[in-house]
Amino acid sequence: MSNPKDYPSVAQYPISKRWPAQHPDILQLYSLGTPNGVKISIALEELQIPYEAHRVTLAASDVKSEEYLSLNPNNKIPAIIDPHGPEGTPIGLFESGAILVYLAEKTGKLMGNNATEKAKVLQWLMFQVGGVGPMFGQLGYFHAFAGSEIEDPRPKQRYINEAKRLLNVIENQLEGQDWIAGDFSIADIAIVPWLDTIERVYRAGEETEIAKFKQVRSYIERFNQRLSVHKGREIFSKI
């Protein structure tokens, strides 16, 4: 497999052979309705950036296909191609955190109004990328998916404990404010889909005692009331 690179047009990207663009003049999103996947569709809806969504499943036939690996060698979703990248040339990107930063900087929105605010938003974005996502993902594996068959209780308990610790960090940060870094930002778009997954997908509400975290519960409700969130999640049921 060659290293991913950028091309003069969307049609020339190898991924377009498998997922052809109907509207190559707008941003192309390759994703699925997972916590990481909906980060980008929600951000695009919030930022009102026109995009075309392509459903890429987690099956090896999709994420490990030659076409997909040409854009994302890490064989995960999401990935994008922006035909109007820096200097007006196309750019392909993977990793949800990097894509969120790119979109926020492209539009000048959702990442604070000055250098200090930007640093705070990035701090909490990294908190999700390095902590909430990996730890909640392991909780899901050992509680709801294949790892639940392991008889040794220690792996599952490790991630239950870590999930509760992270929930407490978020709970304390939200005291007296609606959003994690002050104003609504890409950090919220990164964090809340993972919080929502604890009960909705993993069915681990009782184990994590999430009902005790009143600020977290209100945070999830506020986030889910946004029209961009509804649209960003709904898109994957339409394709």
Side-chain angles (χ1 to χ4, degrees):
M1 181 189 67
S2 61
N3 292 326
K5 63 178 182 179
D6 295 318
Y7 296 86
S9 70
V10 170
Q12 290 177 288
Y13 278 79
I15 196 170
S16 295
K17 296 177 183 177
R18 186 181 179 99
W19 290 278
Q22 301 300 311
H23 305 283
D25 58 324
I26 63 176
L27 188 144
Q28 304 294 304
L29 170 63
Y30 309 89
S31 196
L32 191 65
T34 67
N36 277 338
V38 299
K39 290 178 188 177
I40 308 308
S41 54
I42 291 171
L44 290 168
E45 293 287 349
E46 189 75 35
L47 294 167
Q48 298 185 325
I49 297 175
Y51 69 101
E52 180 179 349
H54 303 272
R55 182 181 181 87
V56 179
T57 73
L58 303 182
S61 58
D62 273 1
V63 292
K64 291 186 178 181
S65 66
E66 181 179 352
E67 294 87 352
Y68 191 74
L69 291 173
S70 70
L71 182 60
N72 185 354
N74 195 35
N75 65 270
K76 304 292 183 182
I77 55 97
I80 67 166
I81 300 173
D82 182 3
H84 307 292
E87 286 99 40
T89 58
I91 183 172
L93 292 172
F94 64 94
E95 287 298 324
S96 60
I99 297 171
L100 285 174
V101 172
Y102 170 76
L103 295 175
E105 290 188 334
K106 177 184 175 75
T107 59
K109 299 177 181 179
L110 299 182
M111 202 159 62
N113 298 312
N114 54 52
T116 298
E117 292 178 2
K118 177 180 178 179
K120 296 293 185 181
V121 170
L122 290 175
Q123 169 183 259
W124 286 102
L125 175 64
M126 296 305 110
F127 168 79
Q128 185 280 310
V129 171
V132 170
M135 295 301 103
F136 284 20
Q138 292 297 325
L139 167 65
Y141 177 79
F142 285 105
H143 178 70
F145 304 128
S148 63
E149 300 174 2
I150 297 173
E151 294 183 4
D152 187 341
R154 289 174 294 181
K156 175 180 173 179
Q157 192 58 50
R158 167 181 169 80
Y159 293 109
I160 288 174
N161 292 343
E162 183 62 6
K164 290 165 71 173
R165 186 189 73 80
L166 292 167
L167 286 169
N168 191 62
V169 172
I170 297 168
E171 180 79 2
N172 291 335
Q173 176 63 16
L174 289 170
E175 186 68 40
Q177 60 189 45
D178 286 345
W179 306 109
I180 200 74
D183 293 333
F184 184 78
S185 71
I186 56 172
D188 302 296
I189 293 173
I191 291 170
V192 184
W194 280 100
L195 295 176
D196 203 29
T197 298
I198 290 177
E199 290 185 291
R200 188 167 54 86
V201 179
Y202 299 159
R203 309 299 184 199
E206 182 177 347
E207 289 75 11
T208 59
E209 300 180 298
I210 195 170
K212 294 183 178 180
F213 297 97
K214 304 300 184 183
Q215 302 292 340
V216 170
R217 295 299 292 269
S218 296
Y219 183 42
I220 295 170
E221 291 174 6
R222 276 193 300 277
F223 183 81
N224 287 340
Q225 288 172 359
R226 299 180 77 92
L227 182 59
S228 62
V229 173
H230 175 72
K231 288 184 175 180
R233 284 181 168 147
E234 188 181 44
I235 189 68
F236 296 105
S237 65
K238 297 180 177 180
I239 57 175

